[in-house]
């Protein structure tokens, strides 16, 4: 095949605002969204286990694991379960979000990275399959010895069974209405060295995994808990102000500009490099206000400190940010 | 530079028989860079049967596009698909996803801007002390030997946590590693007799029991304890710091000092506005490009402009030529602190972008800020001497004379 270069823009808006290019039903209550840059440009790189923050047109921000193919540099894919008690995130995605709509995207960030190992055990429950799916592909690509135990309420509610079918008996599909609760001790076996266990799914499954692996060597088990709808303030779509503490200058950042661009327009130079929230060059200390972090660098604790931001992509949750500039 | 005039075509690309690794070109590569940029998006280099990219957009895209331009077949001329590397390959520089993921993630955290905050004050004090020592000896000195090659070696090995003894091996080891990305020419031959000795010393420094209990090295081993990388990867991750973290910063700081010595107005500008130190360093990295080139290998038939580079072929990316491409930079040959150098490819770009870039910036900012505090003017005081390396643009000697306040 012949690869061609996609047309690339230079602005960060290109990677922080994406268009819904596909919406497909995967299973009962589960659909996948495909996202691409409006210009078709390359998206920010990601690794299995990573998630993005999706800023929906209704202002809500939700996190979804990436479950596509990272060798396709221009498309993200996320899986979305319709939560019965949705507070406006998943129900919006299922009912209102349309192909062609624009969404804000932060990250990708990875709190659940696949570490090197020759043997892996994967345990997924329900929509918890989404971060596990690219991990399984990667483990297979690396020639690792791996197995997946995948549970769900019933077979029709379990997404990606077709994509898992080629792996044969490495994958055990165990819908609860056919097999009962997952037999974790039988799958995991006796504690031993050199195996990494990854699990994602509902809290009771992860609690059970932690009990099952209690006597395994430290760091054998890695889990990702999907946190409930965040109570955080919705991202702003309205303009906000950035005050520069050293000079007292105030700059208005309109939705079509990045903070970096707005600063440059008034002659304030900030050194940057990747302009994608990846390299960390444009880190600026934040003295007041809560940034809307869209970078791929800060982990959750660092984000909550709200003491710095990467101005090439990150924005503001408050009407006013004060920067040490 | 008649050699760079296209002599034919290959795969639809203009062909040149220039040798980018000849001493003539290494002494002054700028005319060749211009000729390659102007010849087309892709130029076939017949001498090495490889494809060259010299325009900013093409180099930038190739750096980002790890899917089509792989690194695991080596980022030098040698193709690891067919040739044995001179040392076990780097687990970051010479690796592709997925194997690249874990070590990159660990190094990015260990060397990240937040991790460097604790070093800032100490390095500023170290820089002040070095500047005081140098100026106490007199107002004429060698900007390379006395400053650029001294300061990184004072602060970086301590930050990694390697032992005191044998640190003089770091520069020759790095010099050979960067020569080895080029062809097996006299520069490689010059370093070969010491490879075994230097490698043995470097490999020893990477061992957990030799490293200090705190520092970048200890942080890397702690990541291996957490299982984020394997115990086999930890010493190779430390080796990456020792290979790529010394010569590069020495030559980057040399480039910055040479730029100031030859642009007195820019030195005055920095003195008036010391917060420009960071921008100044990046502008010097753009202007001089201490790392001139890296290779990639096509994983598929890749189209660049009108040319399809066949699968499996080596591609030589001229970072230095991209950094002076007039299509991207206004008045590119000018060293100018009023320019925004953001987006230069002197540190690379994408998943392999220099993981130590924040360390390099902090080193340069520390030493140039210390100099600006005491030095009113700086000028060249004698013949400058280039240091030739297959990958690095470097100085052997920059004699300077300074005036103090």
């Amino acid at each position: 095949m012949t690869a061609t270069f996609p047309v690339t823009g230079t602005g960060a808006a290109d990677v922080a605002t994406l268009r819904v290019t596909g919406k497909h039903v995967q299973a009962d209550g589960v659909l996948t969204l495909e996202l691409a840059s409006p210009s078709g440009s390359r998206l920010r790189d990601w690794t299995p286990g990573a998630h993005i923050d999706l800023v929906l047109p209704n202002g809500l921000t939700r996190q979804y694991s990436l479950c596509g193919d990272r060798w396709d540099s221009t498309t993200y894919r996320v899986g979305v379960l319709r939560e019965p008690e949705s507070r406006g995130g998943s129900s919006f995605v299922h009912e209102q979000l349309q192909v062609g709509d624009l969404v804000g995207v932060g990250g990708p960030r990875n709190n659940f990275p696949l570490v090197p190992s020759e043997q892996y055990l994967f345990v997924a429950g329900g929509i918890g399959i989404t971060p596990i799916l690219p991990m399984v592909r990667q483990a297979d690509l690396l020639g690792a010895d791996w197995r997946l135990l995948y549970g769900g309420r019933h077979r029709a509610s379990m997404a990606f069974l077709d994509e898992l079918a080629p792996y044969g008996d490495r994958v055990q599909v165990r819908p609860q209405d056919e097999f009962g609760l997952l037999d974790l001790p039988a799958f995991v076996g006796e504690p031993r060295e050199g195996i990494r266990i990854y699990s994602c799914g509902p809290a009771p499954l992860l609690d059970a995994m932690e009990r099952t692996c209690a006597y395994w060597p430290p760091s054998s088990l890695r889990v990702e808990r999907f946190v409930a709808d965040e109570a955080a303030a919705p991202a702003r779509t309205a303009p906000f102000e950035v005050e520069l503490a050293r000079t007292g200058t105030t700059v208005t950042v309109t939705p079509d500009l990045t903070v970096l661009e707005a600063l440059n327009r008034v002659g304030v130079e900030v050194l940057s490099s990747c302009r994608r929230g990846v390299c960390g060059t444009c880190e600026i200390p934040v003295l007041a206000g809560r940034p809307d972090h869209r970078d791929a660098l800060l982990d959750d604790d660092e984000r909550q400190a709200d003491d710095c931001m990467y101005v090439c992509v990150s924005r503001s949750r408050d009407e006013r940010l004060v920067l040490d500039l | 530079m008649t050699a760079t005039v296209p002599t034919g075509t290959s795969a639809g690309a203009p062909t040149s028989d220039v040798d980018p690794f000849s001493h003539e070109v290494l002494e002054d590569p700028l005319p060749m860079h211009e000729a390659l940029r102007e010849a087309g998006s892709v130029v076939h280099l017949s001498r090495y049967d490889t494809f060259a990219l010299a325009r900013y957009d093409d180099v930038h895209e190739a750096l980002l596009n790890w899917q089509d331009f792989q690194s695991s077949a080596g980022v030098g001329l040698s193709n690891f698909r067919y040739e044995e590397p001179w040392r076990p390959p780097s687990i970051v520089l010479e690796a592709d996803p997925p194997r690249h993921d874990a070590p990159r993630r660990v190094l990015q955290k260990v060397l990240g801007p937040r991790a460097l905050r604790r070093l800032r004050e100490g390095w500023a004090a170290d820089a002040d002390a070095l500047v005081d020592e140098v100026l106490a000896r007199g107002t004429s000195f060698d900007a390379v030997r006395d400053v650029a090659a001294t300061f990184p070696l004072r602060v970086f090995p301590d930050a990694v946590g390697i032992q005191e003894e044998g640190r003089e091996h770091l520069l020759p080891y790095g010099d050979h590693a960067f020569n080895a990305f080029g062809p097996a020419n006299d520069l490689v031959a010059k370093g070969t007799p010491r490879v075994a000795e230097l490698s043995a010393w470097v490999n020893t420094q990477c061992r957990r029991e030799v490293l200090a209990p705190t520092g970048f090295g200890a942080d890397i081993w702690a990541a291996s304890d957490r299982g984020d990388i394997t115990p086999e990867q930890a010493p190779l991750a430390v080796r990456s710091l020792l290979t790529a973290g010394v010569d590069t910063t020495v030559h980057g700081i040399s480039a910055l000092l040479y730029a100031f010595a030859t642009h007195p107005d820019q030195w005055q500008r920095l003195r008036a506005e010391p917060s420009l130190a960071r921008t100044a360093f990046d502008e010097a990295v753009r202007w001089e490009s201490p790392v001139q080139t890296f290779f990639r290998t096509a994983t598929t038939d890749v189209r660049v402009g009108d040319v399809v580079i066949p699968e499996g072929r080596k591609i030589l990316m001229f970072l230095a030529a991209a950094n002076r491409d007039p299509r991207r930079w206004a008045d590119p040959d000018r060293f100018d602190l009023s320019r925004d150098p953001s987006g230069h490819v002197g540190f690379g770009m994408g998943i392999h972008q220099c993981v130590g870039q924040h360390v390099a910036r902090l080193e340069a900012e520390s030493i140039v800020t210390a100099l600006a505090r005491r030095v009113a003017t700086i000028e060249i005081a004698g013949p400058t001497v280039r240091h030739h390396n297959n990958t690095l643009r470097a100085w052997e000697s920059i004699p300077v004379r300074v005036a103090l306040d």
Side-chain angles (χ1 to χ4, degrees):
Chain A
M1 74 170 241
T2 298
T4 49
F5 287 124
V7 179
T8 319
T10 52
D14 228 33
V15 290
T17 303
L18 301 185
R19 192 180 297 286
V20 179
T21 54
K23 182 176 176 179
H24 306 284
V25 174
Q26 291 291 335
D28 288 354
V30 180
L31 56 77
T32 50
L33 293 180
E34 281 155 25
L35 307 169
S37 157
S39 69
S41 72
R42 206 186 151 83
L43 302 178
R44 285 182 278 193
D45 291 304
W46 59 282
T47 52
H51 67 270
I52 53 172
D53 305 303
L54 208 57
V55 186
L56 297 167
N58 64 4
L60 292 175
T61 299
R62 294 290 180 268
Q63 300 186 335
Y64 297 106
S65 298
L66 290 168
C67 62
D69 172 11
R70 62 177 164 149
W71 271 262
D72 173 357
S73 62
T74 58
T75 312
Y76 287 155
R77 184 173 77 157
V78 295
V80 182
L81 169 71
R82 191 191 168 103
E83 302 277 359
E85 285 154 44
S86 170
R87 286 193 267 157
S90 70
S91 64
F92 183 91
V93 170
H94 274 256
E95 288 161 22
Q96 298 191 49
L97 194 65
Q98 302 288 329
V99 169
D101 287 352
L102 293 176
V103 290
V105 169
R109 294 185 296 140
N110 198 339
N111 302 327
F112 193 41
L114 192 64
V115 298
S117 181
E118 286 169 12
Q119 279 188 71
Y120 298 100
L121 294 174
F122 299 107
V123 178
I127 196 64
I129 189 65
T130 49
I132 300 291
L133 188 65
M135 290 188 184
V136 159
R137 288 205 189 104
Q138 177 149 317
D140 205 65
L141 185 71
L142 288 167
D145 180 14
W146 65 272
R147 285 184 297 134
L148 164 64
L149 178 65
Y150 179 18
R153 257 179 240 115
H154 49 93
R155 201 170 285 269
S157 70
M158 296 172 68
F160 308 121
L161 294 180
D162 53 336
E163 295 180 31
L164 291 166
Y167 298 118
D169 58 10
R170 284 194 182 273
V171 180
Q172 299 173 30
V173 177
R174 294 289 181 268
Q176 195 175 343
D177 61 351
E178 296 173 37
F179 294 89
L181 288 176
L182 294 177
D183 187 349
L184 301 178
F187 180 72
V188 168
E190 291 301 310
R192 51 211 188 275
E193 295 283 343
I195 301 183
R196 302 292 169 196
I197 306 171
Y198 282 80
S199 187
C200 185
L205 170 67
L206 301 183
D207 295 343
M209 279 303 291
E210 283 175 350
R211 286 194 300 274
T212 304
C213 299
Y215 298 103
W216 279 68
S219 353
S220 296
L221 173 68
R222 293 174 186 234
V223 303
E224 180 156 77
R225 291 176 184 274
F226 285 145
V227 285
D229 288 357
E230 287 176 54
R236 297 179 61 82
T237 49
F240 55 92
E241 295 199 324
V242 171
E243 183 185 321
L244 311 182
R246 296 188 199 179
T247 60
T249 311
T250 295
V251 182
T252 301
V253 184
T254 50
D256 58 317
L257 288 181
T258 65
V259 174
L260 180 65
E261 287 165 343
L263 292 171
N264 285 343
R265 284 200 180 191
V266 296
V268 178
E269 293 255 336
V270 173
L271 188 69
S272 67
S273 177
C274 73
R275 298 186 188 177
R276 291 171 155 237
V278 176
C279 75
T281 304
C282 67
E283 181 181 296
I284 302 292
V286 175
L287 304 176
R290 294 169 302 162
D292 171 10
H293 297 286
R294 303 270 185 102
D295 62 85
L297 288 143
L298 300 178
D299 61 31
D300 287 340
D301 291 342
E302 292 166 343
R303 282 189 169 205
Q304 276 169 14
D306 280 341
D307 61 352
C308 74
M309 71 183 291
Y310 299 97
V311 293
C312 68
V313 289
S314 295
R315 306 187 66 82
S316 179
R317 289 179 178 277
D318 291 326
E319 277 175 37
R320 193 177 187 80
L321 284 179
V322 182
L323 302 183
D324 187 11
L325 268 177
Chain B
M1 285 273 81
T2 50
T4 58
V5 172
T7 54
T9 61
S10 175
T15 288
S16 166
D17 66 357
V18 70
D19 181 359
F21 307 101
S22 67
H23 285 279
E24 182 197 0
V25 171
L26 294 177
E27 182 66 23
D28 180 12
L30 299 179
M32 178 196 68
H33 292 159
E34 184 180 1
L36 292 174
R37 273 194 311 261
E38 296 315 310
S41 271
V42 183
V43 179
H44 180 248
L45 300 181
S46 56
R47 194 174 294 254
Y48 299 110
D49 193 15
T50 191
F51 292 88
L53 307 180
R55 294 181 183 174
Y56 179 87
D57 283 351
D58 300 318
V59 170
H60 187 257
E61 284 292 346
L63 286 166
L64 291 181
N65 184 351
W66 57 265
Q67 287 94 341
D68 296 330
F69 296 89
Q70 71 174 175
S71 292
S72 60
V75 296
L77 178 63
S78 172
N79 191 327
F80 294 177
R81 296 185 191 184
Y82 317 111
E83 293 169 74
E84 179 89 3
W86 68 278
R87 61 175 196 173
S90 163
I91 55 171
V92 277
L93 187 69
E94 294 159 331
D96 296 316
R99 292 185 198 279
H100 175 261
D101 300 345
R104 171 75 194 195
R105 181 180 168 91
V106 165
L107 286 176
Q108 192 145 325
K109 202 75 184 171
V110 168
L111 303 175
R114 298 178 72 88
L116 299 184
R117 288 179 188 175
R118 63 190 161 88
L119 295 173
R120 176 173 282 275
E121 263 181 52
W123 285 12
D126 290 337
D128 284 337
L130 175 61
V131 168
D132 288 347
E133 280 171 38
V134 170
L135 297 179
R137 293 198 297 264
T139 52
S140 291
F141 55 90
D142 193 309
V144 180
R145 186 193 62 209
D146 298 325
V147 179
T150 305
F151 185 64
L153 280 167
R154 282 205 185 174
V155 296
F156 186 69
D158 282 343
V160 177
I162 65 170
Q163 63 187 33
E164 292 279 345
E165 199 187 333
R167 289 182 180 185
E168 70 278 7
H169 295 327
L170 285 168
L171 282 170
Y173 180 78
D175 193 53
H176 183 71
F178 282 100
N179 272 326
F181 293 125
N185 58 12
D186 64 306
L187 290 167
V188 174
K190 179 194 71 177
T192 302
R194 291 194 69 198
V195 165
E197 172 207 354
L198 297 175
S199 297
W201 181 83
V202 165
N203 292 340
T204 300
Q205 305 314 307
C206 301
R207 282 160 45 191
R208 169 168 235 165
E209 63 273 22
V210 176
L211 286 160
T214 58
F216 300 147
D219 293 344
I220 287 168
W221 276 100
S224 134
D225 290 342
R226 293 191 301 269
D228 293 344
I229 50 174
T230 67
E232 294 74 34
Q233 289 176 321
L236 288 167
V238 179
R239 194 193 70 177
S240 288
L241 303 192
L242 300 181
T243 310
V246 187
D247 299 64
T248 48
T249 47
V250 167
H251 302 318
I253 293 169
S254 293
L256 180 59
L257 298 180
Y258 178 77
F260 279 131
T262 51
H263 296 73
D265 55 326
Q266 301 302 308
W267 180 251
Q268 295 316 320
R269 204 169 158 174
L270 174 78
R271 292 206 81 207
E273 208 179 329
S275 67
L276 282 173
R278 260 165 69 84
T279 298
F281 179 60
D282 268 66
E283 170 65 352
V285 171
R286 180 199 70 80
W287 187 66
E288 179 85 339
S289 301
V291 176
Q292 296 267 294
T293 48
F294 270 125
F295 288 81
R296 293 288 188 264
T297 305
T299 60
T300 180
D301 292 349
V302 192
R303 176 177 291 282
V304 181
D306 298 330
V307 177
V308 176
I309 300 172
E311 189 273 336
R313 302 296 290 280
K314 281 274 170 176
I315 295 123
L316 175 51
M317 306 177 298
F318 283 93
L319 312 181
N323 281 338
R324 290 192 185 214
D325 183 354
R327 294 163 189 79
R328 169 64 178 80
W329 310 97
D331 203 0
D333 295 331
R334 248 186 81 78
F335 171 77
D336 182 0
L337 298 197
S338 62
R339 177 200 306 283
D340 180 2
S342 302
H344 72 74
V345 292
F347 289 121
M349 201 55 77
I351 63 168
H352 293 287
Q353 190 179 25
C354 176
V355 77
Q357 61 180 298
H358 308 298
V359 182
R361 288 196 183 99
L362 187 57
E363 285 181 23
E365 185 184 349
S366 305
I367 191 67
V368 83
T369 303
L371 280 168
R373 205 167 284 146
R374 294 201 53 196
V375 171
T377 63
I378 176 166
E379 61 183 353
I380 301 289
T384 55
V385 183
R386 282 281 176 190
H387 172 80
H388 291 185
N389 181 287
N390 282 332
T391 304
L392 304 172
R393 181 106 168 109
W395 289 107
E396 189 70 45
S397 173
I398 308 174
V400 294
R401 188 181 309 112
V402 300
L404 307 184
D405 276 332

